[in-house]
């Protein structure tokens, strides 16, 4: 009896897991969901009456069955210990090159927390298949766990909900890695030497110039090299890299293959302002396309996407580029051989919301790219901001846990571990077609830029950095110490590379500095940049497109509220009352029949925010989907219509990148309300309006921005016309606010069919979508063309005393008042294209009226908003007289929040226009 009592005591103690009780609960939750998702030991434990969950269910938390099997209880303790290392071993890993490898003790990993003692270390325990064995000594278990999870790689994967993915990572993590052979070691050493020599050379020759050095993080080149080598081995055709500044020049030189002479020439201010890249931005923002060359001669096309100082916004741009290349190749995203790599900074990855937006898009149907390898160059420091002030999470990469991405933290001073992790990350991406993160923990040898002194704010950190040899030096010493290669091989490789750089520098100095002329006067954008484009379609084409929308497949049940809308589209052709949605569907459908692919994405764009589009129909009974414009017949191009995530910045950046890589397609992004586009202002400022001037990067992206003051409040009224027009110069984009569906139809077709590839911003209507006044006849589509100015053909020009000029829906308010009051002395001219300003067309219309006729600009927006500040000076120059502005008074908000007050303001506005 005494021995039985003695045996029961540790069994009771074994059920108390203290601070690790959460782990037992977590395993139990998994067991309840899927018994096979936990190990055999856990399954046996949870079906045993001694288990903690079983006791809780029975209502006696600390009473165990006498005579419990102590070995079984110990097996559970060991299983919990193993799972604790799998979950938290990364917290004890030696991943920081600047700290003591011993690190802080982790109570969660102490054997005492599991009811185990030092006396148990030599005892054989059941391990349920760990390392392929059934039993091991506890000491051997600990040694293996520390080797797998606590060396220079810390692996986070137990947060992943998919058991297949967890087991896949677990299997590869819990296997002994072999040391790379001599060829692989020399490859690593060569890449480290190339990276270090490049930075050292620039630091010596161009003192005081910003370059955002990779020194301290040279293993990033090794990591990218390993990824691309893996890509070549798997048949990849191309890799697309998005990255910010840190190490960008090094990547361009040592990965993309940009010549050193070209880079040095830029440091010499020798860039030609007329060149594609170099005219309008600093060198560490530039993109490039080139060829990665492995040391064994194999090659892979690789490009780095141009990126401004807004850092992480390049992530979704790169994703859009990759998806476009995949779609163009007509392959599925999972199978297409284009590898997306996005290189981040640690502070930006944690701090910028567009990272979360882009991660969230990674598995959405319209945005998948088959998984992205995210590389975080973790300097453990922002500009001067420490992690404690820069994020609330343990790791900079914690946001990636939201999409169940595995995260591999690796010590940048262990390049062999970096290579292993790179291969593991690539293989995970290829196997599961999902995002994966490599957190390369390193340091920044100099300040944020090379002219900054980081010791002012981080003196202790930089004392450690200044005393630390480079990773190349450390690795070379390790190779020599291990006897893998000789010292002469190490130094010889570095001398050869430095000599190569010196020759490139000498050749660059010998080149004459290019003194390019200053930019000349603006071109005549009306003539040169807007050649005539035939955009009319035949009546037969129009009827064929409408028929596809009114004749769903047999057995498909259209919603009772949608069916009448679609049927009305057929009668509109005969009645001459084509509305906006019908005109748009005719434009897109006819482009598809012309062989032009169309991609439309945005928040609720498939149905349309205002229930007007119905590009994708949902069966009322079974939820099946049908896209009418995808059934136009043989030869029609592909239509893709997607509801996006509730994102502006990330989603618009994605579409921008897509449009750059697909100049053959019409790519449209629609804001739910035009006001919401300001959430993507960075993309508009840094890419859409200026990318051609800065980087020679052309985009034909079309923005559809619902706009109009209709009493819906300040956040559902204005697409901020003034902001777009403020960005307009030198024909950089087209900005239009059409008032008729027919003109909108021709505008879209012109955008797709014309050779002029510029972004198009369209301020689209809301209330006008169903206005009987804002309709067009079929003849406008079959015989017409886009009209940047719509003349007033309803008046006798000789009798006109006043000309009102307007854009958009306010025309209909003005025209209704004119007709009601019978005012025959007032003409109303519609300005449909705002930029480039249609000077010739407007001047021709103005010439029809008597000299000295009063000209007024009428807008419903406040005077400090809308188009007035842009069109006012142009109208006055063409009219050669003062032009009055009729508008709401200046205001800080776009509109009032009261429908009644709005109606009163609108009435006063219209009366003022005619007063």
């Amino acid at each position: 009896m005494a021995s039985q009592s003695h045996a029961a005591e540790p069994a009771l103690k074994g059920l108390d897991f203290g601070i690790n009780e959460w782990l037992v609960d977590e395993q139990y939750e998994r067991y309840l969901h899927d018994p096979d998702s936990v190990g055999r030991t856990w399954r046996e434990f949870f079906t045993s009456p001694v288990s903690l969950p079983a006791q809780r269910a029975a209502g006696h938390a600390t009473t165990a069955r006498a005579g419990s099997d102590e070995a079984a209880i110990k097996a559970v303790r060991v299983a919990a210990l193993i799972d604790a290392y799998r979950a938290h071993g990364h917290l004890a890993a030696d991943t920081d090159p600047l700290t003591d490898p011993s690190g802080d003790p982790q109570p969660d990993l102490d054997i005492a927390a599991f009811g185990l003692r030092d006396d148990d270390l030599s005892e054989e325990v059941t391990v349920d298949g760990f390392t392929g064995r059934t039993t091991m000594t506890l000491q051997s278990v600990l040694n293996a766990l520390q080797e797998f999870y606590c060396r220079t790689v810390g692996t986070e994967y137990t947060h992943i909900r998919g058991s297949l993915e967890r087991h896949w990572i677990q299997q590869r993590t819990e296997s002994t890695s072999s040391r790379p052979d001599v060829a692989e070691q020399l490859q690593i050493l060569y890449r480290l030497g190339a990276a270090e020599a490049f930075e050292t050379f620039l630091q010596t020759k161009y003192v005081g110039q910003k370059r955002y050095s990779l020194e301290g993080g040279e293993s990033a080149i090794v990591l990218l090299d390993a990824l691309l080598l893996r890509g070549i081995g798997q048949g990849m055709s191309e890799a697309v890299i998005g990255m910010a500044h840190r190490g960008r020049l090094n990547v361009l030189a040592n990965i993309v293959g940009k010549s050193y002479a070209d880079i040095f020439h830029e440091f010499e201010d020798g860039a030609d302002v007329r060149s594609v890249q170099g005219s309008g931005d600093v060198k560490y923002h530039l993109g490039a396309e080139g060829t990665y060359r492995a040391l064994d001669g194999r090659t892979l096309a690789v490009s780095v996407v141009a990126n401004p100082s807004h850092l992480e916004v390049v992530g979704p741009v790169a994703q859009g580029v990759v998806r476009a290349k995949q779609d163009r190749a007509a392959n599925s995203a999972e199978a297409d051989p284009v590898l997306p790599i996005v290189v981040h900074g640690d502070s930006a990855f944690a701090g910028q919301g567009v990272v979360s937006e882009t991660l969230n898009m990674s598995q959405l149907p319209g945005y998948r790219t088959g998984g992205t390898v995210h590389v975080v160059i973790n300097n453990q420091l922002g500009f001067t901001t420490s992690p404690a002030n820069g994020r609330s999470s343990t790791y900079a990469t914690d946001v990636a846990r939201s999409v169940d991405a595995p995260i591999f933290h690796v010590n940048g001073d262990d390049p062999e571990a970096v290579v292993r992790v790179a291969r593991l990350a690539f293989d995970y991406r290829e196997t599961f077609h999902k995002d994966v993160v490599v957190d390369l923990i390193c340091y920044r040898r100099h300040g944020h830029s090379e002219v900054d002194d980081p010791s002012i704010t981080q003196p202790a950190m930089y004392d450690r950095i200044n005393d630390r040899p480079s990773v190349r030096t450390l690795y070379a010493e390790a190779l020599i110490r291990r006897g893998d290669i000789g010292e002469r091989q190490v130094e010889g490789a570095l001398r050869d590379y430095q000599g190569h750089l010196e020759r490139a520098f000498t050749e660059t100095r010998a080149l004459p500095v290019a003194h390019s002329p200053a930019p000349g006067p603006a071109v005549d954008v009306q003539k040169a940049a807007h050649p005539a484009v035939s955009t009319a379609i035949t009546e037969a084409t129009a009827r064929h497109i409408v028929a596809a929308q009114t004749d769903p497949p047999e057995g498909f049940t259209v919603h009772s509220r949608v069916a009448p809308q679609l049927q009305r589209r057929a009668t509109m052709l005969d009645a001459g009352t084509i509305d906006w949605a019908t005109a748009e569907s005719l434009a897109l459908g006819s482009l598809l029949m012309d062989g032009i692919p169309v991609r439309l994405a945005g928040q609720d764009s498939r149905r349309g925010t205002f229930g007007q589009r119905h590009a994708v129909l949902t069966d009322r009974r079974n939820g099946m989907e049908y896209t009418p414009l995808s059934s136009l017949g043989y030869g029609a191009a592909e239509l893709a219509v997607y509801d996006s995530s509730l994102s502006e910045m990330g989603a618009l950046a994605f579409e921008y990148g897509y449009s750059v890589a697909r100049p053959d397609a019409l790519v449209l992004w629609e804001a739910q309300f035009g006001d919401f586009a300001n959430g993507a202002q960075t993309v508009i400022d840094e890419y859409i309006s200026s990318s051609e001037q800065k980087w020679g990067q052309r985009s034909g992206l079309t923005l559809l921005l619902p706009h109009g003051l209709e009493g819906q409040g300040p956040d559902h009224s204005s697409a901020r016309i003034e902001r777009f027009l403020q960005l307009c110069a030198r024909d950089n984009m087209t900005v239009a606010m059409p008032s008729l569906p027919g003109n909108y139809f021709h505008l879209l077709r012109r955008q797709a069919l014309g050779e002029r590839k510029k972004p198009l911003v369209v301020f689209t209507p809301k209330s006008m979508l169903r206005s009987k006044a804002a309709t067009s006849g079929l003849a406008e589509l079959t015989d017409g063309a886009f009209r940047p100015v719509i003349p007033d053909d309803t008046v006798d020009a000789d009798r006109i005393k006043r000309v009102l000029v307007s854009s958009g829906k306010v025309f209909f308010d003005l025209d209704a008042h004119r007709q009601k009051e019978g005012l025959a002395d007032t003409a109303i001219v519609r300005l449909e294209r705002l930029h480039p300003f249609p000077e010739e067309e407007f001047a021709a219309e103005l010439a029809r009226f008597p000299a000295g006729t009063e000209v007024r600009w009428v807008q419903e927006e406040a005077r400090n908003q809308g188009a007035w500040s842009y069109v006012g000076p142009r109208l006055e120059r063409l009219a050669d007289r003062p032009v009055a502005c009729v508008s709401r008074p200046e205001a800080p908000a776009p509109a009032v929040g009261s429908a009644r007050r709005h109606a009163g303001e609108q009435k006063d506005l219209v009366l003022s226009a005619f007063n």
Side-chain angles (χ1 to χ4, degrees):
M1 291 292 295
S3 61
Q4 289 178 348
S5 174
H6 181 75
E9 184 177 354
L12 284 169
K13 184 178 181 182
L15 294 174
D16 181 8
F17 285 85
I19 60 174
N20 288 294
E21 191 171 302
W22 64 269
L23 198 147
V24 181
D25 291 338
E26 181 182 88
Q27 294 294 321
Y28 188 55
E29 288 295 326
R30 289 181 179 175
Y31 168 79
L32 290 176
H33 179 72
D34 177 12
D36 291 332
S37 68
V38 301
R40 177 179 57 81
T41 300
W42 284 115
R43 291 196 297 272
E44 293 177 352
F45 178 60
F46 292 137
T47 57
S48 165
V50 302
S51 74
L52 192 62
Q55 292 182 51
R56 287 175 178 168
H60 48 93
T62 58
T63 303
R65 183 168 56 112
S68 297
D69 186 351
E70 184 176 356
I73 295 298
K74 187 165 291 187
V76 172
R77 294 175 186 155
V78 174
L81 175 67
I82 293 172
D83 284 331
Y85 268 86
R86 289 166 176 166
H88 292 316
H90 57 87
L91 295 172
D94 176 23
T95 55
D96 184 355
L98 299 181
T99 60
D100 186 341
S102 62
D104 296 327
Q106 293 296 320
D108 284 357
L109 304 181
D110 192 326
I111 62 172
F114 300 88
L116 298 168
R117 303 178 301 229
D118 290 345
D119 295 346
D120 299 320
L121 292 175
S122 60
E123 184 179 340
E124 287 279 332
V125 292
T126 301
V127 293
D128 193 20
F130 177 62
T131 68
R133 300 175 64 180
T134 56
T135 63
M136 300 171 64
T137 65
L138 180 58
Q139 183 65 66
S140 298
V141 171
L142 279 175
N143 292 344
L145 289 171
Q146 290 166 1
E147 177 67 27
F148 298 149
Y149 292 103
C150 300
R151 295 298 183 237
T152 54
V153 177
T155 304
E156 285 190 89
Y157 69 98
T158 57
H159 60 278
I160 299 174
R161 280 171 279 255
S163 59
L164 182 63
E165 296 172 49
R166 291 199 310 273
H167 292 159
W168 187 93
I169 297 172
Q170 178 180 306
Q171 180 182 10
R172 282 155 181 78
T173 302
E174 296 176 1
S175 59
T176 303
S177 57
S178 59
R179 184 179 297 178
D181 59 29
V182 173
E184 291 174 318
Q185 291 170 340
L186 288 174
Q187 167 109 0
I188 293 171
L189 187 61
Y190 176 83
R191 292 299 185 188
L192 289 174
E196 181 181 330
F198 179 81
E199 298 292 357
T200 302
F201 184 87
L202 292 182
Q203 177 72 4
T204 303
K205 300 295 185 181
Y206 299 107
V207 179
Q209 288 203 43
K210 292 181 180 179
R211 55 191 167 88
Y212 295 98
S213 162
L214 192 59
E215 290 170 271
E218 293 94 338
S219 287
I221 298 298
V222 174
L223 197 159
L224 293 175
D225 180 65
L227 287 174
L228 297 182
L229 277 175
R230 206 69 160 184
I232 292 174
Q234 292 297 315
M236 289 282 177
S237 65
E238 184 177 357
V240 175
I241 301 175
M243 68 180 300
H245 312 336
R246 181 71 51 203
R248 188 184 191 89
L249 295 177
N250 211 313
V251 169
L252 291 176
N254 289 313
I255 297 296
V256 182
K258 184 173 181 178
S259 75
Y260 309 123
D262 285 346
I263 294 174
F264 299 158
H265 197 46
E266 291 165 1
F267 274 96
E268 298 287 336
D269 279 338
D272 187 341
V273 299
R274 296 165 298 183
S275 66
V276 172
Q277 291 180 330
S279 64
D281 211 343
V282 290
K283 46 191 162 288
Y284 40 80
H285 286 178
L286 303 181
E289 295 181 356
T291 301
Y292 161 79
R293 298 185 183 279
L295 298 186
D296 60 9
R298 293 179 295 169
T299 62
L300 181 71
V302 62
S303 59
V304 173
V305 181
N307 187 33
S309 285
H310 285 73
L311 305 178
E312 295 296 339
V313 73
V314 76
V317 173
Q319 300 291 344
V321 170
V322 171
R323 177 59 182 257
K325 290 176 181 289
Q326 292 173 341
D327 285 352
R328 192 169 192 175
N331 290 326
S332 67
E334 287 79 12
D336 194 87
V338 180
L339 174 66
I341 302 172
V342 181
V343 183
H344 311 263
D346 52 313
S347 295
F349 196 82
Q352 296 192 5
V354 71
V355 174
S356 180
E357 292 182 33
T358 308
L359 288 168
N360 179 58
M361 292 191 294
S362 65
Q363 291 298 308
L364 302 183
Y367 303 89
R368 292 192 193 108
T369 56
T372 297
V373 179
H374 297 272
V375 177
V376 178
I377 300 180
N378 192 338
N379 297 309
Q380 309 182 69
L381 184 65
F383 184 167
T384 64
T385 305
S386 64
N389 294 318
R391 65 176 187 263
S392 298
S393 57
T394 301
Y395 293 114
T397 54
D398 281 350
V399 66
R401 293 168 64 97
S402 65
V403 293
D404 279 1
I407 304 166
F408 302 102
H409 308 279
V410 58
N411 191 318
D413 273 5
D414 185 353
E416 291 182 0
V418 169
V419 170
R420 290 198 306 273
V421 164
R423 292 170 177 171
L424 180 59
F426 181 93
D427 291 348
Y428 175 87
R429 186 262 180 190
E430 286 295 282
T431 303
F432 298 104
H433 315 299
K434 294 177 64 177
D435 286 18
V436 56
V437 178
V438 178
D439 183 16
L440 179 67
I441 302 176
C442 48
Y443 56 90
R444 189 185 67 201
R445 188 165 291 279
H446 305 291
H448 177 67
S449 62
E450 286 64 36
V451 297
D452 176 61
D453 182 0
S455 66
I456 295 173
T457 53
Q458 276 80 26
M461 181 182 196
Y462 274 85
D463 283 344
R464 294 194 297 272
I465 290 173
N466 292 335
D467 293 338
R468 188 164 190 81
S470 71
V471 59
R472 182 201 64 84
T473 300
L474 292 173
Y475 185 56
E477 290 174 351
L479 291 177
I480 295 170
R481 184 173 59 253
R482 292 182 337 209
D484 293 344
I485 63 174
E487 186 172 351
R488 290 186 177 182
Q489 288 176 290
V490 172
E491 296 305 324
L494 182 59
R495 282 196 302 271
D496 289 344
Y497 190 79
Q498 289 173 327
H500 183 60
L501 288 176
E502 191 66 44
R503 288 191 298 273
F505 178 76
T506 302
E507 294 167 3
T508 303
R509 277 286 171 90
L511 294 174
V513 176
H515 295 288
S516 300
V523 297
D524 187 345
V525 296
Q526 287 73 34
K527 294 181 179 178
H530 292 262
V533 179
S534 176
T535 55
I537 63 173
T538 65
E539 181 177 339
T541 297
R543 294 192 181 279
H544 176 68
I545 295 168
V546 169
Q549 300 173 71
T550 57
D551 186 21
E554 184 177 352
F556 189 94
T557 305
V558 181
H559 196 285
S560 59
R561 296 185 61 182
V562 176
Q565 295 186 49
L566 299 179
Q567 292 300 326
R568 279 196 296 270
R569 293 183 180 181
T571 62
M572 288 177 186
L573 299 183
D574 297 320
T577 57
I578 298 173
D579 64 9
W580 284 84
T582 305
E584 182 185 81
S585 68
L586 290 171
L588 302 185
S590 58
L591 288 171
L592 296 172
M593 295 177 67
D594 290 335
I596 305 293
V598 175
R599 175 185 167 96
L600 168 62
Q603 296 161 11
D604 309 294
S605 290
R606 300 201 301 174
R607 190 202 74 174
T609 296
F610 310 101
Q612 84 284 5
R613 179 172 291 123
H614 302 296
V616 179
L617 306 178
T618 304
D619 191 295
R620 180 66 179 81
R621 295 181 179 179
N622 56 29
M624 297 293 291
E625 294 182 347
Y626 169 60
T627 305
L629 293 184
S630 292
S631 60
L632 295 175
Y634 178 77
E638 179 186 2
L639 169 68
V641 186
Y642 297 108
D643 287 340
S644 75
S645 59
L646 196 62
S647 161
E648 287 88 35
M649 186 174 179
L652 181 56
F654 187 100
E655 302 306 327
Y656 170 83
Y658 194 100
S659 70
V660 168
R662 287 297 303 269
D664 60 315
L666 176 64
V667 183
L668 308 102
W669 177 78
E670 183 176 55
Q672 190 175 65
F673 286 86
D675 312 61
F676 300 169
N678 58 16
Q681 198 65 47
T682 295
V683 183
I684 295 165
D685 292 349
E686 295 287 357
Y687 287 93
I688 292 171
S689 67
S690 59
S691 64
E692 184 175 3
Q693 182 180 14
K694 292 191 295 188
W695 312 314
Q697 191 172 79
R698 294 192 174 188
S699 164
L701 178 62
T702 296
L703 278 65
L704 305 179
L705 309 178
H707 173 89
L709 277 67
E710 289 141 340
Q712 296 186 30
D715 291 324
H716 300 83
S717 300
S718 175
R720 295 292 190 176
I721 298 171
E722 65 278 2
R723 293 181 181 171
F724 287 93
L725 293 177
Q726 188 179 42
L727 297 171
C728 288
R730 298 178 65 82
D731 190 32
N732 61 327
M733 56 184 172
T734 299
V735 177
M737 184 156 55
S739 61
L740 288 174
N743 226 21
Y744 176 54
F745 165 90
H746 289 292
L747 183 64
L748 292 179
R749 283 184 53 80
R750 182 186 184 93
Q751 176 73 357
L753 296 172
E755 295 182 0
R756 175 182 177 272
K757 293 300 177 187
K758 307 276 185 176
L760 168 64
V761 181
V762 187
F763 300 107
T764 56
K766 295 178 291 180
S767 63
M768 288 164 58
L769 292 172
R770 294 178 176 85
S771 170
K772 293 182 179 179
T775 58
S776 297
L778 180 58
E780 294 180 49
L781 280 56
T782 58
D783 298 327
F786 176 70
R787 294 181 289 173
V789 173
I790 298 182
D792 192 344
D793 297 330
T794 66
V795 298
D796 181 351
D798 294 334
R799 298 177 57 190
I800 295 303
K801 297 180 180 179
R802 180 187 303 111
V803 176
L804 305 181
V805 186
S806 69
S807 291
K809 83 174 183 68
V810 74
F811 162 80
F812 297 99
D813 294 332
L814 297 172
D815 189 46
H817 180 80
R818 179 177 62 173
Q819 293 184 41
K820 177 182 177 183
E821 300 296 328
L823 302 175
D825 62 348
T826 302
I828 309 176
V829 178
R830 283 176 269 183
L831 187 61
E832 303 279 287
R833 190 184 74 210
L834 298 169
H835 181 82
F837 193 82
E839 295 191 1
E840 288 189 5
E841 294 89 342
F842 183 80
E845 173 64 4
L846 198 59
R848 294 175 52 223
F849 307 113
T853 300
E854 182 184 7
V855 179
R856 295 180 179 181
W857 169 257
V858 185
Q859 66 178 36
E860 57 183 356
E861 300 83 11
R863 183 179 293 263
N864 61 316
Q865 300 167 27
W868 166 243
S869 61
Y870 173 85
V871 302
R874 290 165 173 80
L875 293 177
E876 291 189 341
R877 176 167 51 82
L878 293 172
D880 194 23
R881 73 202 75 158
V883 174
C885 175
V886 180
S887 69
R888 284 173 167 77
E890 292 186 352
V896 297
S898 164
R900 178 179 297 179
R901 184 176 174 185
H902 163 78
E905 288 184 351
Q906 197 74 359
K907 181 179 179 180
D908 292 343
L909 177 76
V910 172
L911 291 175
S912 297
F914 290 92
N915 189 342

